[in-house]
Structure formats: structure tokens, C-alpha cells
Amino acid sequence: MDMKEIIAKDKKEKDVIKESNFYSSCDMLVFLSNEGFNKTLNLSSYMSMCDSISHELKSFKEANKGIKKIYYFQIGIYESDVTREILPAISMSEYIHRFHKDKLDLHDDFLGYHFTYFIIEYNVKTDEERLVDLLEQSLIKVYDGFKARTLYFNSVLDRDATDYHGHYQGIFDSYVLERKKAGKPEIIEVHNAIEKPKESSSVKEFISYVNKSLESIYVGQLPFHAAKFLMQDTREYKYLREEFIILASYIKDIRKSYDGQIKLGEEKERWDAKIDSELIEITQAVPKYEYETRKALASTIHQYRGFSLDLRTKHQQAVDSFSKVIVSAINAKHDKKYPEPRVLLIGALFEFFECDEFILNKSIQYVKENTTLGIFSSIFILVDSEVCIKIH
């Protein structure tokens, strides 16, 4: 037996244990569609459908006391799963080929489709208390009500298929995290290489400060700084991530000039920045539980695979409602009733548009239709602090 076979055998044995742990407490229901419904439905209808699903899950749990929790999230199965590596440099397709060859036929059948997963966790699981069939019928009514066409299967009737999805989507791994009590994180003290910017400087100096800071984090020989930046561990990291890189992107993409002087408000002024006579307000479109998401991402290299089932559910809810979050962020700034006109810049993560240009464009249109310019001279969304999109 060569080394690859030994690794595969060990991995298979561990996966069997994970399967057993999962099925001893849970059932899984899977809905299949050609594309995500946020692409095929009108965005307002899609968000209404998500609200209906959340309401149905809450009501179903309340009516069935044997249920501990119901988790759900959506994701596709695509040829190039480079962003969802389960091991460094091993895509999920390669993972199936290497560790679960018995599931290759299923992999070929499911490739290219979009899936929504519902996981019922029981307080105590018995054959008599299996409720997956009832949940299936309840959710079919919701989908039918929005003319959302799906196929479906559940773990009671389709064990091989749910085994495949459990491994491919990291569901069994997420359930391990769900049951595991989180330990106290180790605090690693490292030199803080990010300096505080000048309160007043030339625009050129400010851009140089932002570029140098980001280079120190991502290019320099400074361990742990990328995670510290993501977690906004210090005041300098917080301002850099939430305001300064957004402001720098606006200067580069919209103003297209490094001339002039810039002054930073630093919470002392009723504006966040002032470039010559132009006032600028900066805010973030931040969904609920966003901090928990960042915390999980900062501690894993496997993207969603570092998420418990509970956090994957919260993240899905954030993605589903993100267009409303942006609208709320703009309206909250309107409520401030600023005395002078100013530019409003809104930071938003591409992550919450599912890293999909089509969904991003639908969301931008929704935001345009549900907000006004108001007192602002212009409003921009800056996606990942890189792409600057005018709203008004």
C-alpha cells in the first residue's frame, strides 16, 4: 500500500466516524435546482421566499418539541471549486476522486446544480420521531407558492446521496464544530506595524500611507497580520479596514486625482474625511453576525469549512437579506440630517453577494430603486474596497 492509499484509508475511516456522529442526531433534507433562486426570481420575491422559509422553520420547530435546531444554507457544486479547498491545493472534485471513489457517479450527476440544505438536529433521535418527511412537505408548499421549481431527497430515503453531500459540502465537519465547545483562543502578541495616519496631509501622502499599510499586512514578513487586520484587532486596523481603504479607492476610481489636501475626521468632526472643500461620510453595510463570520474566516483556510452549522445558517441569512442591509445603511445616514451636502461611501463585501457579478448587479438595482439621494451630493458602494459603483 503506497502513501496515497494509506492517507485515503485513514481519511475514509475518520469520515465514517463523522457520518455516524451526524446520523445519530440528525436528518438532512436537500433541495436541488438548476440555479440559485436569487438568480431566477425577482430579488424582492426571493427575499420574501427566504423570510417565508425562516418563518416555516421556526413554526415547525415550535410545533415539534423533539427538534433541537434546524440549520440551512445554500451552495452549488461546480467544476472549479478552487475557493472551497478541503486541504491546501486539493479542490473538492479532487477530494471526491481521492477519498470517495464510490461516490463518483453521484458527483457526476450533481455537478453543475445548486443545492439548499436543511438539517434537523434532534434532542434525542428515534425512528418514531423522524420528522424529515413532514418538513419536506412544509417546504415544498413554500417553494410552490413562489413558483420555485425544485427536486428533493432526504437522508431517510437517499442515504448515499446525503452521504455524498455531507462530505462534499463539509456538513459532517461543520457538525463536529457544532458539537465541539469552542476553546479560548490563543492570544499571539505581534509587533503592530500599522501606524496612525496624519490627521491632515496631502492626498498623495494619504494614498501612500494606505498602500504601505496593506503591503505590510499582505506582502511583508509579518506573521498573523492578515488575521489581525480582518479582526480589526487595533484602532489602526479598524480605521484602515472600515474607512481608509474605502476612501483611497474612491480617490483612485472616482476623483482620479491625487492633488489637494485631505483631513480625517477621526470622530472629532461631523464628517469622516474632507478633501479640500468636499465632505465625505463613510459607513459599512454590515449584516447581523458579521463579526462571527469574520472571526471564523480569520481562523480557517478552508472558507466555509471552518464554520459550524449554526454559523453557516447565520451567514446564509445575511447573504439572503444583504440588499436590505445596504438600504438600511443608507437610510440610517439620511436620518442623521447632516447640515451640509457630502459624498456617502458605503463599504460592502463581495462575499455577501456570493462573489457573483449577476447577483451584485441585481442587488445594486434593488438598492437604487429603494433609496434616494437626499442631502448627499452622491452615493457610492465600494465592493471589497476595490470596485466603486455609483448608486445616486
Side-chain angles (χ1 to χ4, degrees), residues 13 38 84 164 269 319 334 338 356 358 384 387 392:
E13 290 172 353
N38 52 358
R84 293 189 290 116
Y164 163 81
E269 306 285 351
V319 168
H334 282 315
Y338 296 107
D356 188 295
F358 184 79
D384 280 358
V387 180
H392 298 294

Side-chain angles (χ1 to χ4, degrees), residues 190-194 215-226 237:
V190 297
H191 173 62
N192 182 13
I194 307 303
E215 185 177 353
S216 297
I217 293 169
Y218 291 112
V219 182
Q221 303 300 312
L222 298 170
F224 312 112
H225 273 258
Y237 282 117

Side-chain angles (χ1 to χ4, degrees), residues 96-327:
I96 292 296
H97 280 73
R98 182 175 295 188
F99 300 124
H100 292 280
K101 289 183 178 179
D102 57 318
K103 301 292 191 296
L104 282 176
D105 288 344
L106 287 169
H107 183 65
D108 292 338
D109 288 342
F110 293 137
L111 192 63
Y113 290 99
H114 189 87
F115 298 88
T116 305
Y117 301 92
F118 296 91
I119 294 122
I120 301 175
E121 182 180 18
Y122 300 93
N123 291 312
V124 178
K125 183 176 178 181
T126 66
D127 289 339
E128 292 75 22
E129 288 184 319
R130 279 186 163 172
L131 300 167
V132 64
D133 295 320
L134 291 175
L135 180 61
E136 178 182 289
Q137 296 307 310
S138 296
L139 290 171
I140 287 171
K141 289 179 182 178
V142 175
Y143 282 124
D144 286 348
F146 287 88
K147 295 181 172 58
R149 299 184 64 182
T150 64
L151 297 174
Y152 45 89
F153 49 90
N154 66 54
S155 57
V156 178
L157 303 175
D158 302 275
R159 177 62 183 263
D160 282 346
T162 48
D163 282 354
Y164 163 81
H165 286 276
H167 291 299
Y168 188 90
Q169 303 291 21
I171 293 169
F172 299 147
D173 292 311
S174 289
Y175 186 61
V176 170
L177 292 174
E178 196 65 47
R179 302 179 77 188
K180 186 177 180 181
K181 188 176 180 180
K184 191 174 181 179
E186 181 182 358
I187 298 175
I188 303 173
E189 297 294 339
V190 297
H191 173 62
N192 182 13
I194 307 303
E195 299 175 355
K196 185 179 179 181
K198 294 179 182 178
E199 186 176 322
S200 181
S201 67
S202 70
V203 172
K204 188 177 290 186
E205 284 179 307
F206 174 76
I207 294 295
S208 177
Y209 161 78
V210 172
N211 290 341
K212 182 181 177 182
S213 297
L214 292 176
E215 185 177 353
S216 297
I217 293 169
Y218 291 112
V219 182
Q221 303 300 312
L222 298 170
F224 312 112
H225 273 258
K228 284 171 69 68
F229 172 62
L230 187 61
M231 290 304 298
Q232 302 175 183
D233 266 3
T234 67
R235 185 180 179 86
E236 288 76 20
Y237 282 117
K238 177 179 172 62
Y239 273 103
L240 179 65
R241 184 175 180 273
E242 290 190 347
E243 294 189 10
F244 298 157
I245 57 175
I246 292 173
L247 182 56
S249 181
Y250 168 72
I251 292 169
K252 295 173 188 176
D253 292 351
I254 304 303
R255 288 182 64 91
K256 299 184 186 298
S257 170
Y258 293 175
D259 295 335
Q261 294 292 308
I262 186 169
K263 187 174 181 181
L264 303 175
E266 295 186 329
E267 299 180 9
K268 299 174 185 176
E269 306 285 351
R270 288 204 68 189
W271 38 262
D272 292 318
K274 183 178 181 181
I275 302 177
D276 294 334
S277 61
E278 181 181 61
L279 302 183
I280 299 171
E281 188 70 21
I282 307 169
T283 190
Q284 295 275 330
V286 181
K288 198 175 180 181
Y289 308 117
E290 183 266 352
Y291 175 78
E292 292 182 48
T293 301
R294 279 194 288 116
K295 184 177 178 181
L297 289 173
S299 61
T300 179
I301 61 171
H302 304 320
Q303 203 188 20
Y304 299 139
R305 294 171 195 288
F307 286 18
S308 66
L309 291 177
D310 185 56
L311 190 50
R312 289 174 90 158
T313 299
K314 289 176 179 176
H315 183 68
Q316 185 63 56
Q317 292 169 332
V319 168
D320 291 338
S321 63
F322 192 54
S323 299
K324 292 180 182 177
V325 172
I326 299 172
V327 170

Side-chain angles (χ1 to χ4, degrees), residues 330 334 342 371-379 390-392:
I330 293 174
H334 282 315
R342 61 197 63 200
T371 57
T372 62
L373 181 61
I375 186 63
F376 298 104
S377 56
S378 53
I379 300 175
K390 188 171 184 178
I391 300 298
H392 298 294

